[in-house]
Amino acid sequence: MKTDGFVRVLWWKLVLIINLIDGKSMHEKDKHDVFSVEGVEGRSVELHCPITVPLSQVYMVLWFKDNAGIPLYSVDVRDKISRQPAHWSAPEVFGSRAKFNIDKSPASLLIKNLKRHDQGVYRCRIDFRTIQTQTYRYNLSVIVLPEQPVVLDRWGRHLNGTKLGPKEEGDDVVITCRVSGGRPQPEVRWLINGVIVDDQYEQNSGDVIENRLLWPTIQRSDLNAIFTCQTMNTKLVEPKETSYVLDMHLKPLTIKVINPPATLVADKRYEIVCQSTGSRPNAIITWYKGKRQMRRTRDETVDHNTTTSTLSFAPTTEDDGKTLTCRAENPNVNGLFLETDWKMNVVYPPMVAIQLGPTLVVDDIKEGDDVYFECHVRANPDWKRLQWFHNDVLLQYNGSARIIQSGQSLVLQKVTKQSAGYYACSAINAEGETVSDQQHLRVKHVPVCATERHGGNAPGGNGTDPSGSNRNAILIGASRNENVEIPCHIFADPPARSFHWRFNNSAEILPVDAHRYTSQGNISILNYAPVTDQDFGTLTCWAVNEVGPQSQPCTFQLVLADLPAPVSNCSLPNRTQQFAEIQCTPGYDGGLPQVFVLELVSKRTGTRRFNFSNKNEPFFVLDRLEKLSALMTLENNSLSCVVYAINQKGRSTPVLIQDFEIGRIQPYRAVTERRADAIEWLPIAVGILLTVIILALSISTKTYLNRCLAAGCCCRRCCAASAKRNDAAASDKSEQQQHQQQQTKNVLLPDEYECGAHCLKLKNVQMLRRHSSRKKNCSKDSNDDEPEPDVIPAQFNMVSCTPLIATPQHTDAATRDKDAHQYGGFTSPPATYQMGTIVDHHPAGPQQDTALEYRTHGSIVGILPTARTAAAGAAAELDINVIKDRLLTTRVPESCV
């Protein structure tokens, strides 16, 4: 390889020497064949060297520059048969930038990245194997492009970016295009939107060329015009350009409020739209109400020069007649804006204010003075009618009552204490009615009884005043040695300064000592405890204020009173499946008005389910009993009926209505049929079964004893063992009966209805007591006439017609107060009695889907829950304790035979 390289170098040196010797003559010979070629600096250029014969006839291709005898590029084709042509490029000239393409037609030398010093005359020589050498000459001119044009403003500052401006309408555009370098000298010109407007340029200094453009008084139409500075010095490449887009600030052209409403309703929110067009950039829209700017706005850009602003506001009554201004302005254009005005018509209900006559002294009005009020009204539209109110009651013009209405004034002549209170006026227009705030009128007067003021009882009083007049006494019931508090309520303005009390028992009139009563404000409370009959009578109280003394006293009639007596002779005069009438005879009312109450009590749980009241008499009507009976049957329950009376002192002993039960019974039959159905089959069946078993045991025992006697057995020991067994059985039965009686006590507790599953035991109390008193023994001294002790009737009887639940009388005030505190005035949870009214307390229980409604004559409504499901009723029916108690009640003990 090294030998081949050395040979190649020697060969090229020899070729160069020959070319130097023969070059001058060749140049003279081929100088008429020079072709001009232009190339651009930095780009590529091709110099053609055509080969017109087959490549096999070519020996070498050599390239020379100017008159140089040494080639700068060669192609060796001598050994092309065995290998590819050998290319060589002088490193100090082209190096890798040149490439001769021998396969191309015509063959050419491609020079890349043309340099300025590449300019010159190039000669291509083709040596052939057998024909004469050919030579081609090219004059290569390298064109140097100018630099990118730069644009300067009128002050010689470079413009950055792509925008020119922003400018305003009427401004002049003064810009300069500067170009440096370029060979040959380039042209510099200005184009606007692609049209040449200025091609007059001048050379500034050296190779710098400038073109100054003056474009005067630009208009709105010049917006976005393209100003282009262009330079070029050859057509081989595109001209170099620098372009700028004219940006302008434009003022708004139009502004308007879109579809403003004719009228605005006060306090109703509206959205008003204002639109502006023609501004660049988009206009800023502001709203003004008078001189105050509105802030609650929402701006939106519709397109490049249209802007809308939506004002959300609720006009007030003060806005009526005011001007709403919409202003559009371009903040970049000083002093130029557009605005439009809109006068608001705000309608609203009347604005009303009441005022006591300015000549009156508010705190110095007494009975007999004249008073007047003024009503000030402001409304849009105007008011049509004016009205006056006293304590929310409409006042009518009444000359005889000295109530005079004139225009917007109200005159009250000779006012009384009834004239005191709150006054208001109202005005009406098409938008509605408005009532003013209330103006309090204070009328000073002497004290009067609260019952006289309201026509009823004093607040907190313990009695009733049927007539509602102060001349009739308030009834107060008390028992001997009972301390009662008697409140004396009065109305007075200003408040009472002092009170005094008197007692009258038709024999004497005595003042009450001051230490026995207390006074505070408009109330005085007397603590009184009657001891003898002479202590019952009439109590009166007076009050005095700064206006004067009370003219008519407050009167209280103190009477001897006690709990009401229980009702009696309760019966059911009319009873069907659908309804029942319950009629009782009222007892002594205890000296006070009484109210009669009927309660339906659950026999299974002991809770009160329903109650009814009658203020006049103990008469009640219950209807829709068939649905109530079905409901109780599904609940495995039944209801008992209890009637009692209530007065101010408390309630009477409740009375159970005999032979009246709702639920778990057969459809209504005659009384004799109901009693026959009361016999239950389960105890009878168990009794018969046990009797058969005992008879069988008795027969076996007799047989065994006979055998013992026959065998000489000791009968005494046998009898003793039998007696011992009987005594043990009797002891077990006695303990069982005591346990049942202990459970039964829960039923007999006073005023308690908690009986639960033991309600069934109540039917057997008498038989248990009667049966437990019998003796069981195996003595031969037993009376043969006595009923068989081993057989117990299975008849379940109810208790006697006496009241089932006894309520002890209150013997002292402490016990009564304690019970009243616990149950709201009752010794068990009854209906509450307040001022002659019964309040129904419904027992808490599961929510039901529907309800049954019961009413009596003059009674309170009771609501029945709906029936529970049959599954729940069946589960409640299986009461193990009840079944066990029944079996134990009818058990037949063992006996000695």
Side-chain angles (χ1 to χ4, degrees), residues 348-359:
Y348 52 91
M351 300 179 63
V352 186
I354 187 173
Q355 181 183 4
L356 190 63
T359 60

Side-chain angles (χ1 to χ4, degrees), residues 51 140 269 290 299 315 373 377 450 466 477 514 529 575 619 657 705 758 766:
I51 298 176
L140 175 62
R269 186 158 294 279
D299 295 338
F373 295 92
V377 182
R575 167 70 188 274
F619 176 76
I657 305 299
L705 290 177
H758 303 297
Q766 293 180 349

Side-chain angles (χ1 to χ4, degrees), residues 40 116 144 186 235 329 442 560 627 686 803:
V40 179
R116 295 185 184 185
V144 179
K235 295 183 179 179
E329 59 184 330
R442 179 186 180 188
L560 180 63
K627 294 185 178 180
V686 175

Side-chain angles (χ1 to χ4, degrees), residues 260-272 289 312-321 342-351 379-381 429-434:
T263 59
L264 302 174
V265 179
D267 300 325
K268 180 180 179 181
R269 186 158 294 279
Y270 291 88
E271 289 190 348
I272 310 298
K289 185 172 64 175
S312 175
F313 83 114
T316 64
T317 55
E318 303 296 332
D319 295 334
D320 183 32
W342 172 49
K343 187 175 182 180
M344 294 182 290
N345 179 25
V346 181
V347 296
Y348 52 91
M351 300 179 63
N380 183 24
N429 69 353
E431 294 299 318
E433 178 182 6
T434 304

Side-chain angles (χ1 to χ4, degrees), residues 524-800:
S524 179
I525 299 177
L526 172 64
N527 292 312
Y528 192 81
V531 179
T532 65
D533 292 342
Q534 298 299 322
D535 295 334
F536 293 92
T538 303
L539 289 166
T540 55
C541 79
W542 284 266
V544 179
N545 68 352
E546 69 176 34
V547 179
Q550 183 174 345
S551 59
Q552 293 291 336
C554 299
T555 307
F556 303 90
Q557 187 66 41
L558 186 65
V559 298
L560 180 63
D562 204 346
L563 294 174
V567 298
S568 59
N569 298 330
C570 293
S571 62
L572 283 79
N574 192 4
R575 167 70 188 274
T576 66
Q577 288 185 347
Q578 287 76 24
F579 75 96
E581 294 180 355
I582 299 175
Q583 177 71 56
C584 298
T585 301
Y588 174 60
D589 59 5
L592 297 171
Q594 62 180 349
V595 177
F596 302 96
V597 179
L598 180 144
E599 290 185 353
L600 297 179
V601 182
S602 170
K603 296 186 69 176
R604 180 166 60 87
T605 64
T607 57
R608 182 187 62 196
R609 297 293 296 272
F610 311 99
N611 69 338
F612 309 89
S613 65
N614 192 331
K615 297 181 180 180
N616 301 320
E617 58 177 337
F619 176 76
F620 306 92
V621 177
L622 305 180
D623 57 358
R624 300 174 68 182
L625 292 182
E626 72 283 359
K627 294 185 178 180
L628 183 58
S629 297
L631 172 64
M632 291 298 103
T633 301
L634 289 176
E635 292 184 1
N636 189 23
N637 198 0
S638 60
L639 300 176
S640 296
C641 183
V642 177
V643 180
Y644 56 85
I646 296 177
N647 69 0
Q648 175 189 336
K649 303 300 290 182
R651 76 170 193 176
S652 68
T653 302
V655 175
L656 175 68
I657 305 299
Q658 296 292 340
D659 299 328
F660 182 78
E661 182 177 326
I662 299 175
R664 238 182 355 191
I665 58 175
Q666 297 297 328
Y668 178 75
R669 302 176 186 175
V671 176
T672 55
E673 293 177 356
R674 291 202 309 271
R675 290 181 179 176
D677 291 339
I679 301 176
E680 301 182 6
W681 63 270
L682 182 59
I684 297 176
V686 175
I688 293 173
L689 180 60
L690 292 177
T691 302
V692 172
I693 295 173
I694 291 171
L695 289 177
L697 292 175
S698 299
I699 295 173
S700 300
T701 304
K702 267 184 184 180
T703 305
Y704 176 75
L705 290 177
N706 290 333
R707 291 179 180 178
C708 287
L709 291 175
C713 177
C714 180
C715 182
R716 291 183 180 180
R717 184 172 57 185
C718 179
C719 289
S722 178
K724 187 175 182 179
R725 288 194 300 270
N726 290 336
D727 291 341
S731 177
D732 293 341
K733 191 167 186 178
S734 177
E735 292 178 359
Q736 175 189 353
Q737 292 171 349
Q738 291 177 0
H739 177 67
Q740 292 174 348
Q741 290 178 359
Q742 182 66 24
Q743 292 178 335
T744 308
K745 289 181 180 180
N746 294 330
V747 182
L748 301 178
L749 288 177
D751 297 332
E752 293 292 339
Y753 296 112
E754 298 295 335
C755 75
H758 303 297
C759 291
L760 295 175
K761 297 181 184 179
L762 186 60
K763 302 179 181 180
N764 304 318
V765 171
Q766 293 180 349
M767 288 186 293
L768 288 173
R769 292 177 178 173
R770 182 173 66 252
H771 183 65
S772 63
S773 64
R774 298 179 181 177
K775 296 182 179 180
K776 306 156 185 73
N777 53 59
C778 60
S779 174
K780 294 181 180 180
D781 296 334
S782 59
N783 190 359
D784 295 337
D785 296 333
E786 185 178 357
E788 175 59 45
D790 296 333
V791 180
I792 298 177
Q795 179 67 36
F796 292 84
N797 297 323
M798 290 294 291
V799 295
S800 62

